Amino acid sequence: MTDRLWQTKLLARVHDPAEKALVLMRDPAGHEGGTSRFLRDLLFQDGTDVDMKKYVKWADWWAAAADRPNWPKDIWAQTHWEKEPILIHPLSGKEFDLRTLATTDYRQFKECSQEHFKRLKMSDGERADWKRTLLAYWRFGAEIPEESDDSKLGALWSLLPADTRVPDHSIWDHLDLTSAFAGVFATDENQEVALLIVSLGPVQSFIASARTTSDLWAGSHLLAHLSWEAMKPLCEQLGPDAILFPRLRGLPLVDRWLRDEVGIDSSLFEGSDWTTRGTDANPLFAAALPNRFVAIVPASHAQSLAQKAAGSARNWLQELGMKTVEELLKEAGYPDDDQDAYCYQQMREQIEGFPEVHWASVPFSLVRPRDRSKQRDIDIKALQQAMQPFFPESAEQPGFLGSDAWAVLQRESEFFSPNPGVLYPVIHDLAERTLASAKAVRPFEQMEQNGWRCSMTGETEWLTTNPAQLKRSYRQQEDTLWSRIHNSKPSWAKQGEHLGALPAIKRLWPTIFAKQAGAQRFVVSTHTMALAPSLEILSQEISEDKLQGLVSEKKDDTPALPRKLACLRDRNPSVARIPAALDRLKDQDNEGSDAVKLESVIKDILGYKPDAYYALLMFDGDHMGRILAGHDQHTAITYLQSFHPKVRNGFRSKAQNDNILKSYGDLKRAMSPNRHLAISNALSNFALHVAPFVIETEFRGKLLYAGGDDVLAMLPAVDLLPAMRRLREAYEGHSEKHRELDWRALRSNNGLVLKEGFAYLKGNLIRMMAGATGSCGAVVAHHQAPLAMVMRELRSAEQRAKNEGGRDAFSLNILKRSGGALSICEKWGDADELLRRLRKFLAQPGVSRRAVYNSLLWLRDLPDSTDESMLDQLLLYQLKRQTDRKTIEDYADLPGITQRLAQLAVKAGDTRDWLSNFMSIAEFLAREARAPEIDEAEQT
């Protein structure tokens, strides 16, 4: 891996200018004669050789064929994109119309682009540093600094299309893929490309073994780190653009590697959240990497790269295991310099071979171009034979090879002859099937464990300094490693807990990682979360003297607060210390007089007793496997949908009398690298930016973890319903209340705007998972309820949303301290909107709590044959009876609520039970302590 590799990749990265869509057919120099020529002259002062140019040309052809539809030979449509600037979402086909950019000066775009990339050039003295320059261009090319953006493209810069006829993928996607292919051509002695898929596991069992929310976060975060350690050798050898999924650009873990290990200029990272935030709001704490990756690699190096990936991940975990034991011994008061201590041996043995790593590699040489100089006229016999074992009884060609699209593309009299890049979907499909076969064969070595087992998993011995202790139950012993840990550091081990290697690593990982990240990790207590809305009101109403003597004046007694309330630490510190004061006074004062006095002061100011219930929320995207494989109909668009509207009209005109061509346009687009990049980018943006903004900025919650399409968060009970819905909208990237906003309105918006599969946040326009759905499970529980029990209910609720709800649904459980429980499982849409409307009505001061109670009594005598109209009128009558006249006059929404409530109740089938649960949940969430809901205006 020499400079030649990085030179070739750099040449590929500058073969098209970033502003191509804006200068095409406007610049007399042509799109290759402007910025591209400027950068070639800047970087390659000694020129480039013939082979490098050849590899870049091949790579460009392959990348274009993999990401774009093949075209008929005759040019029947052109687009002046600056006059009709349209972006098309690759997952939904939705159009984002930018109106016009025709008044802009293309020369200004060129100047901005040239100055931007000139600043990113990295040098080693007089000599250009090819690798660091390539990585700087890859990382920061798509982020033009505001002060350099004279053309005011802003957020649009990162989404400029690669092909104005098919504006569903950006120029950056094309440059990434071209660089990946070119690097392989320059590296493999036979210029043979392979697709490599690597998968780490186990996932679910590793994450699920948890006693606390901290354990849950640690499991997901550790897997993300293991994934990165597996990817790192490939990034070091071929560059991060060789990895197609997940997309690594902008991920904090990768940025830290670029700055600290590669040596990219640290000033380029200044201002990034991961360099400035001193708490676990820092995005380094997000588990934003999946447990698998897809990469373009040299065919001759595929096996060695896969083995390096496995070795890198396992070596990193072994080092972390030794660090964990060292920290445990130090905390417990044992000498930590004795590397022969028995627990070190246990750690090495118990994590040996973890994680499991499976991989599969498929070479593109299965598709051989007969004309190698032009990379066309391909022979697919070897590819057909390789696919045959997976379809032994099929008489037809499987997958893409048997599709109408492939049949049309072989009409060489009308279409350009396809190159191997066109068959990326077949290569990917074959690699996935091969990987599945590799996973089915799971060789393992049995690990002998004779002593007492880990109290969390029951699978391995618990770590000890004295192997003789393993012969007896830890319940019969007092001086063990873990009993000492509990006495000195209870957050690492609860009473009676004795952990094996992996659970111990998970338990200490939050502490170890916080030190590495240089940030403080804090956990908002369930009691603080329940009190959050009350604290916000108290901070505006209460005076310091009323709390004197009841609340500690020590700064250390201020508990961790949700980010939205963090300002209370300085603005009203006494109020910020109320949760800790209540907990301390109840523990220390048997009579509870001081605690009662403090509660009385709070109640007098609020007018009600503060809430004691909080909510846990778990969100998960639906059908992610199908989406990544291209088999999900809701997130796959047709060839015609991906065309610019002007091209679409031209295609329809040409296909009027050609049914085969017309059917080609109506077919779903095959899997492509662009699709993988788009999905990965959307998921990382959701996990790193959008979900944290929703939970912690729009609402008063605490994000426990976010990884791709998975979110676990804690919220005040009053924020739960709007937060659930908002998270679902954010995942898809669409909200009805933002539908009418235009592009210019977004520029002045400081919040989160969701429209047509895009999110506009903090000056960035980013694609989200348009067309995709997500399911949510939620639990409302008392802050003193055992967390393990609440987590079991939460997982159960999420599974009900997936199974009983049929996905794209939510499931909500309310666990009352008295022992009663309420639950509902419904599709998103009418049900969650109606629940919010009913809750809002019942929270009005003029509505008696007996409104629902009396209605439930009346429901017992409801005849089975009650129709919607009668049910509507009776519900309206009962609710009006318990509502004062002014509220009825002011709240015009009530008739609409009862009408929709009657419709959904009858549709549900079991009218009585459904209405009883639905109305009881709304009443519970509408009680005084849960009345101050976040104003929706704050979200727009």
Side-chain angles (χ1 to χ4, degrees):
M1 305 295 180
T2 63
D3 279 350
R4 182 175 176 77
L5 163 68
W6 305 109
Q7 287 176 323
T8 306
K9 288 175 71 71
L10 197 54
L11 183 62
R13 187 158 286 282
V14 302
H15 85 279
D16 271 343
E19 69 278 12
K20 177 180 176 180
L22 298 166
V23 301
L24 203 61
M25 294 185 289
R26 297 173 75 190
D27 186 354
H31 70 276
E32 293 182 352
T35 299
S36 291
R37 175 170 292 177
F38 171 84
L39 292 177
R40 286 196 300 271
D41 293 342
L42 174 70
L43 298 168
F44 300 97
Q45 298 175 5
D46 297 331
T48 55
D49 63 40
V50 174
D51 283 343
M52 286 173 59
K53 292 178 181 178
K54 178 179 67 175
Y55 297 153
V56 171
K57 184 177 291 186
W58 288 359
D60 185 27
W61 291 341
W62 280 41
D67 271 340
R68 305 171 202 171
N70 203 343
W71 303 95
K73 289 181 179 179
D74 55 325
I75 300 175
W76 41 266
Q78 289 182 333
T79 60
H80 288 267
W81 195 77
E82 79 286 353
K83 296 178 181 178
E84 299 175 275
I86 300 287
L87 296 177
I88 293 177
H89 202 293
L91 303 183
S92 68
K94 294 287 187 181
E95 296 178 9
F96 203 96
D97 190 348
L98 307 178
R99 306 299 172 85
T100 182
L101 297 170
T103 57
T104 55
D105 186 348
Y106 73 85
R107 287 166 295 196
Q108 200 171 26
F109 296 136
K110 289 173 61 175
E111 290 173 10
C112 288
S113 181
Q114 291 171 13
E115 286 301 312
H116 175 48
F117 284 99
K118 186 177 180 180
R119 281 194 300 270
L120 294 177
K121 178 187 175 184
M122 300 283 157
S123 300
D124 183 9
E126 296 294 324
R127 180 174 172 272
D129 190 313
W130 303 109
K131 180 177 181 179
R132 288 197 298 136
T133 299
L134 180 279
L135 294 177
Y137 277 23
W138 167 80
R139 171 59 184 89
F140 293 103
E143 295 181 6
I144 191 165
E146 187 175 345
E147 63 272 14
S148 304
D149 187 15
D150 297 331
S151 54
K152 302 305 176 189
L153 278 175
L156 181 59
W157 178 261
S158 64
L159 293 175
L160 289 172
D163 190 321
T164 57
R165 299 168 299 176
V166 195
D168 73 336
H169 64 291
S170 74
I171 186 68
W172 311 106
D173 297 339
H174 177 63
L175 296 179
D176 286 349
L177 190 56
T178 305
S179 174
F181 279 132
V184 171
F185 289 140
T187 303
D188 191 275
E189 58 184 13
N190 296 313
Q191 291 79 55
E192 297 290 1
V193 182
L195 193 69
L196 173 68
I197 303 181
V198 179
S199 174
L200 280 68
V203 177
Q204 296 302 327
S205 60
F206 181 68
I207 295 175
S209 59
R211 290 273 172 82
T212 66
T213 52
S214 184
D215 288 343
L216 285 170
W217 170 84
S220 297
H221 198 252
L222 269 170
L223 278 178
H225 264 258
L226 284 168
S227 294
W228 166 238
E229 291 299 325
M231 296 177 203
K232 192 191 291 188
L234 195 147
C235 292
E236 290 171 341
Q237 288 191 220
L238 296 173
D241 52 14
I243 295 180
L244 305 182
F245 179 87
R247 176 169 232 159
L248 300 179
R249 182 184 293 120
L251 291 181
L253 268 179
V254 183
D255 278 358
R256 190 167 66 170
W257 167 71
L258 288 171
R259 187 193 67 177
D260 298 345
E261 298 183 41
V262 176
I264 299 295
D265 186 353
S266 61
S267 66
L268 294 171
F269 300 95
E270 289 179 0
S272 301
D273 285 348
W274 68 272
T275 65
T276 57
R277 291 190 174 176
T279 69
D280 57 2
N282 189 314
L284 282 170
F285 284 83
L289 281 172
N291 67 310
R292 53 183 279 131
F293 65 89
V294 180
I296 296 289
V297 300
S300 58
H301 299 169
Q303 181 175 350
S304 64
L305 286 169
Q307 291 170 344
K308 285 181 180 178
S312 177
R314 289 168 180 164
N315 290 340
W316 180 82
L317 189 64
Q318 282 287 346
E319 291 177 7
L320 179 60
M322 297 302 105
K323 176 66 174 175
T324 299
V325 173
E326 180 183 321
E327 292 290 329
L328 287 171
L329 293 175
K330 181 179 178 181
E331 188 63 41
Y334 292 104
D336 58 359
D337 57 352
D338 182 9
Q339 294 297 309
D340 294 326
Y342 188 67
C343 45
Y344 279 110
Q345 178 184 332
Q346 286 179 294
M347 177 63 73
R348 282 189 290 268
E349 291 175 352
Q350 290 182 21
I351 64 175
E352 186 177 4
F354 189 92
E356 297 175 7
V357 179
H358 301 278
W359 64 275
S361 171
V362 174
F364 274 81
S365 59
L366 294 173
V367 184
R368 293 194 175 277
R370 294 188 178 95
D371 183 350
R372 190 166 176 81
S373 64
K374 299 292 185 181
Q375 292 291 314
R376 64 188 186 192
D377 189 18
I378 54 180
D379 181 356
I380 63 168
K381 290 180 182 177
L383 183 59
Q384 290 172 329
Q385 292 173 358
M387 288 290 287
Q388 201 58 47
F390 297 101
F391 300 89
E393 299 177 2
S394 174
E396 301 178 354
Q397 290 296 326
F400 182 74
L401 292 179
S403 69
D404 292 339
W406 178 238
V408 170
L409 295 181
Q410 294 181 87
R411 294 167 60 180
E412 295 192 8
S413 60
E414 298 179 38
F415 281 79
F416 291 102
S417 178
N419 67 46
V422 170
L423 291 172
Y424 173 88
V426 188
I427 298 293
H428 179 265
D429 186 21
L430 181 56
E432 288 284 5
R433 294 177 185 278
T434 306
L435 180 66
S437 301
K439 286 184 175 181
V441 180
R442 305 185 70 171
F444 66 94
E445 295 182 8
Q446 186 171 352
M447 180 172 58
E448 185 175 350
Q449 298 286 279
N450 297 316
W452 282 78
R453 305 301 173 89
C454 167
S455 60
M456 182 181 292
T457 65
E459 295 176 355
T460 60
E461 297 171 347
W462 49 273
L463 300 180
T464 181
T465 55
N466 182 2
Q469 291 180 335
L470 296 173
K471 297 178 180 179
R472 290 190 301 149
S473 168
Y474 46 76
R475 296 182 181 89
Q476 301 171 1
Q477 304 177 71
E478 294 182 358
D479 189 29
T480 66
L481 170 64
W482 292 101
S483 62
R484 288 192 182 191
I485 291 294
H486 170 70
N487 292 332
S488 62
K489 193 124 180 165
S491 62
W492 284 2
K494 294 183 178 181
Q495 180 71 43
E497 275 192 324
H498 283 61
L499 305 179
L502 283 174
I505 291 174
K506 287 171 64 175
R507 186 60 58 83
L508 268 67
W509 177 241
T511 303
I512 294 173
F513 181 72
K515 290 180 181 178
Q516 291 179 0
Q520 177 188 1
R521 185 173 188 275
F522 66 89
V523 178
V524 179
S525 72
T526 56
H527 193 191
T528 302
M529 187 57 67
L531 288 169
S534 299
L535 295 177
E536 192 168 23
I537 296 173
L538 287 170
S539 68
Q540 301 167 10
E541 304 289 341
I542 203 167
S543 59
E544 294 280 337
D545 60 310
K546 287 189 177 182
L547 295 176
Q548 194 170 6
L550 297 174
V551 175
S552 170
E553 296 182 4
K554 295 180 180 178
K555 189 173 182 180
D556 293 343
D557 282 352
T558 305
L561 296 171
R563 191 194 306 178
K564 199 174 179 72
L565 303 184
C567 59
L568 295 184
R569 288 176 171 271
D570 299 320
R571 193 177 70 195
N572 204 325
S574 295
V575 171
R577 295 177 191 130
I578 285 176
L582 285 172
D583 291 339
R584 186 184 65 255
L585 291 173
K586 287 184 178 181
D587 288 342
Q588 295 177 355
D589 188 358
N590 293 330
E591 297 298 323
S593 57
D594 286 341
V596 170
K597 186 176 179 181
L598 179 56
E599 288 177 341
S600 177
V601 170
I602 295 171
K603 185 176 179 180
D604 288 344
I605 295 170
L606 294 176
Y608 53 83
K609 189 175 180 180
D611 199 8
Y613 285 80
Y614 74 102
L616 273 176
L617 172 156
M618 185 178 285
F619 180 90
D620 185 36
D622 296 327
H623 301 303
M624 188 51 60
R626 280 167 41 178
I627 290 173
L628 287 171
H631 299 152
D632 183 73
Q633 293 301 304
H634 300 292
T635 55
I637 64 176
T638 65
Y639 287 97
L640 197 60
Q641 282 178 296
S642 68
F643 298 161
H644 187 284
K646 186 174 180 180
V647 178
R648 201 177 300 153
N649 293 333
F651 185 91
R652 287 189 178 120
S653 176
K654 180 173 179 63
Q656 276 183 344
N657 301 317
D658 189 335
N659 290 331
I660 297 179
L661 188 59
K662 183 177 182 299
S663 68
Y664 171 69
D666 294 334
L667 290 172
K668 294 288 187 181
R669 284 275 301 270
M671 173 54 66
S672 67
N674 157 54
R675 181 183 173 84
H676 280 148
L677 292 171
I679 293 170
S680 176
N681 203 36
L683 293 179
S684 64
N685 279 318
F686 178 68
L688 289 171
H689 307 297
V690 179
F693 187 86
V694 169
I695 297 298
E696 299 188 350
T697 301
E698 291 189 336
F699 296 97
R700 293 162 289 209
K702 171 65 177 173
L703 191 68
L704 299 177
Y705 73 73
D709 60 329
D710 295 324
V711 171
L712 176 65
M714 183 164 56
L715 295 138
V718 66
D719 289 354
L720 177 61
L721 293 180
M724 286 167 56
R725 181 64 186 178
R726 185 67 167 164
L727 205 58
R728 166 65 178 82
E729 292 174 345
Y731 180 69
E732 184 180 11
H734 183 72
S735 174
E736 286 298 320
K737 63 187 176 186
H738 299 160
R739 181 181 291 277
E740 301 305 320
L741 289 177
D742 64 19
W743 166 251
R744 288 166 181 78
L746 298 183
R747 292 177 178 238
S748 60
N749 196 291
N750 295 321
L752 171 65
V753 176
L754 305 166
K755 179 178 177 180
E756 305 295 358
F758 290 87
Y760 187 86
L761 177 64
K762 298 179 181 178
N764 294 312
L765 182 65
I766 50 181
R767 289 190 180 106
M768 302 305 293
M769 291 293 294
T773 63
S775 299
C776 182
V779 172
V780 177
H782 194 277
H783 73 87
Q784 291 181 329
L787 187 58
M789 180 267 289
V790 177
M791 288 303 305
R792 284 196 300 271
E793 290 294 328
L794 182 62
R795 293 190 197 97
S796 178
E798 189 213 15
Q799 288 305 306
R800 277 197 299 277
K802 296 277 190 182
N803 300 324
E804 295 177 24
R807 289 182 168 81
D808 195 21
F810 71 96
S811 178
L812 171 59
N813 283 12
I814 292 180
L815 307 178
K816 296 184 178 180
R817 199 181 187 196
S818 60
L822 301 167
S823 65
I824 186 172
C825 182
E826 291 290 333
K827 289 283 189 182
W828 294 110
D830 287 345
D832 67 288
E833 180 188 357
L834 181 60
L835 191 58
R836 287 190 62 190
R837 289 167 63 191
L838 181 58
R839 192 216 73 87
K840 190 173 182 179
F841 167 74
L842 295 173
Q844 302 302 308
V847 180
S848 169
R849 281 187 60 184
R850 295 186 63 84
V852 170
Y853 177 74
N854 287 349
S855 297
L856 296 182
L857 287 178
W858 154 77
L859 274 175
R860 297 176 185 175
D861 301 321
L862 187 71
D864 294 334
S865 59
T866 304
D867 61 16
E868 287 181 14
S869 178
M870 181 184 295
L871 187 59
D872 172 23
Q873 294 303 312
L874 292 173
L875 282 170
L876 184 60
Y877 170 75
Q878 289 292 339
L879 292 177
K880 279 185 173 181
R881 284 184 63 194
Q882 303 299 325
T883 306
D884 64 30
R885 185 182 300 276
K886 186 177 185 307
T887 302
I888 293 174
E889 292 173 354
D890 293 344
Y891 211 85
D893 195 31
L894 182 56
I897 290 174
T898 57
Q899 181 183 28
R900 196 71 190 112
L901 195 56
Q903 291 172 351
L904 290 180
V906 172
K907 182 180 178 181
D910 196 342
T911 305
R912 290 189 190 87
D913 287 347
W914 191 91
L915 266 177
S916 178
N917 262 309
F918 196 92
M919 296 182 70
S920 295
I921 288 173
E923 187 275 331
F924 181 89
L925 295 175
R927 293 177 187 175
E928 280 183 306
R930 304 173 197 114
E933 188 181 50
I934 290 286
D935 186 353
E936 287 188 29
E938 294 183 27
Q939 298 167 8
T940 58

